[in-house]
Amino acid sequence: MFAERIGYIVWFSDFKAARGLDKYGSLHYLSRKMNYAVLYMDADGSEETVRHLQRLPFVKKVERSYRGEIKTEYEKNVPDKTRFYGL
């Protein structure tokens, strides 16, 4: 139903020019202080888009975001010790 999306972190040197990154995908966040942008795009054709991004003069580095692959379901193996510390 929905296309697979991949996130990329794009490090840039010019904030004004970085606002134009939205034509390469969904621009999620721009950091003015740390000079990076979070960009989401479709998985098919993302390699070609990354190559185009790396050729831009204001782009320093493009990294893949592994946020979608991090385990977010936690299990509690430690017993609850709150009853021992009660008044």
Side-chain angles (χ1 to χ4, degrees):
M1 184 174 171
F2 292 108
E4 182 75 22
R5 309 280 286 165
I6 297 178
Y8 286 96
I9 310 299
V10 181
W11 298 91
F12 56 83
S13 58
D14 185 19
F15 183 79
K16 270 189 168 180
R19 288 186 292 183
L21 289 173
D22 58 349
K23 60 182 151 186
Y24 295 100
S26 299
L27 188 59
H28 181 72
Y29 181 73
L30 274 170
S31 173
R32 186 182 291 266
K33 185 177 180 181
M34 294 182 61
N35 291 333
Y36 76 93
V38 179
L39 187 69
Y40 288 96
M41 61 186 79
D42 292 334
D44 53 337
S46 65
E47 296 298 323
E48 182 179 340
T49 307
V50 169
R51 276 189 261 124
H52 286 291
L53 284 171
Q54 290 172 339
R55 290 183 191 154
L56 295 174
F58 60 90
V59 173
K60 293 180 183 177
K61 182 170 56 169
V62 179
E63 297 176 350
R64 186 161 181 266
S65 172
Y66 294 103
R67 183 170 188 240
E69 299 171 10
I70 296 174
K71 181 181 162 188
T72 57
E73 297 172 2
Y74 305 106
E75 54 190 49
K76 186 175 182 181
N77 291 336
V78 179
D80 188 20
K81 295 183 179 180
T82 56
R83 62 185 169 119
F84 296 117
Y85 299 110
L87 296 173

